[in-house]
Amino acid sequence: MTSLPLQVEAELPPFAVAARRSAMVFGAPVELVLVPGRKARHGRATADRPALARSRAPGIVADEALWRGQGHVLTPNRYPLAERQLLLWPERMQREPDAAFWRLVGDWVTGSGGAALHNNIGAAATIARCHAHLVPQRLPFLDALPERAVPAAAAPIEVPAGITLVAKDVPLCLLGVRGSANARAEALLRLAEARLCAACNIVVQGDTAWMLPRRTETPAPHFPYALGAAELWGRWCYMDEAPFHEATAPALESALVAAGMPPLA
């Protein structure tokens, strides 16, 4: 059983969607949502974002906790990208996830049937401290994309026992780590060490953690915002009406290709 509560008895900020659309990206279904309230987030990846800023993580962890345990904290998200969304943080200063963090995330995903979304700085995060968005919902995009096994000779890591490494058949590097929560945690740490680019997005859903190594944070003109784990999950979040209504499936495909790294050979 998960060490995190699957639900919290608290009123959480609503997922305020002004409009929705749907599309097919690489043959798999995605949704586009207009969420203008997310424009109020501090620290968004814009051209004028500074190199350094005082972190808001200590205040959030100290003042907004809904649950504490095992050195971790659950808080609400003021600008959610899903219904009943929570944020998981380590209490101590920590920029990258460790094994304990990934085990908690994996157990919560298994117990809730939902998903966990992780961004880091350079891949849509607005706060540098390690955190994950916990959403009690599963979207079909990643499940619907075709995939292939990654042979041992092509694997970028020594694959832990009980783990299968897979890759989606799309024109970018999208790797899946499939197995138990404990084994996935070890594999994700090995992939973090093997990653030769600074940033990535990770979505944990079902028994698989999907990693998208990044080369471009904002893949304009195809998508005018920092592309994050929400978009990789299958929910494209727009803050302005014009790009929301103008978006096309080919543009979303081009945004993923521009944001990601080339596929493994």
Side-chain angles (χ1 to χ4, degrees), residues 237-258:
C237 297
Y238 288 80
M239 292 173 274
D240 302 283
E241 287 199 30
F244 169 77
H245 291 295
E246 294 166 2
T248 65
L252 302 187
E253 292 176 356
S254 295
L256 284 170
V257 172

Side-chain angles (χ1 to χ4, degrees), residues 24-258:
M24 298 294 287
V25 172
F26 298 124
V30 303
E31 61 182 30
L32 291 67
V33 294
L34 179 61
V35 280
R38 285 178 59 80
K39 191 181 291 188
R41 290 177 302 150
H42 298 286
R44 289 192 296 117
T46 57
D48 59 352
R49 182 166 71 173
L52 297 167
R54 187 179 295 270
S55 176
R56 289 175 290 116
I60 293 171
V61 167
D63 301 335
E64 300 182 27
L66 301 172
W67 173 91
R68 293 181 187 274
Q70 300 185 42
H72 291 78
V73 174
L74 286 176
T75 72
N77 186 349
R78 296 179 188 176
Y79 309 103
L81 47 82
E83 295 287 352
R84 301 294 300 173
Q85 179 188 335
L86 296 169
L87 289 174
L88 175 67
W89 309 80
E91 286 195 284
R92 66 183 178 88
M93 289 185 290
Q94 181 178 325
R95 192 175 177 92
E96 294 289 335
D98 59 14
F101 182 88
W102 284 128
R103 284 194 293 268
L104 284 173
V105 164
D107 287 344
W108 187 90
V109 168
T110 298
S112 69
L117 318 179
H118 167 69
N119 303 314
N120 59 16
I121 290 293
T126 60
I127 297 177
R129 184 179 298 196
C130 158
H131 60 283
H133 303 258
L134 305 182
V135 293
Q137 182 183 3
R138 185 166 179 158
L139 292 186
F141 174 64
L142 287 168
D143 294 339
L145 291 173
E147 65 185 48
R148 55 181 172 79
V150 175
I157 59 171
E158 187 73 28
V159 180
I163 287 293
T164 301
L165 203 63
V166 297
K168 289 299 187 182
D169 280 324
V170 290
L172 60 147
C173 182
L174 180 48
L175 292 180
V177 177
R178 184 165 293 147
S180 70
N182 282 343
R184 282 202 314 266
E186 176 60 27
L188 285 169
L189 293 186
R190 295 184 189 187
L191 281 172
E193 186 174 66
R195 197 176 77 232
L196 299 182
C197 58
C200 73
N201 307 107
I202 296 176
V203 173
V204 183
Q205 184 167 262
D207 62 353
T208 308
W210 297 101
M211 173 184 280
L212 174 65
R214 296 294 296 275
R215 60 179 162 186
T216 301
E217 185 165 28
T218 301
H222 317 295
F223 185 64
Y225 315 107
L227 187 147
E231 287 73 35
L232 176 60
W233 184 45
R235 176 168 290 160
W236 292 74
C237 297
Y238 288 80
M239 292 173 274
D240 302 283
E241 287 199 30
F244 169 77
H245 291 295
E246 294 166 2
T248 65
L252 302 187
E253 292 176 356
S254 295
L256 284 170
V257 172

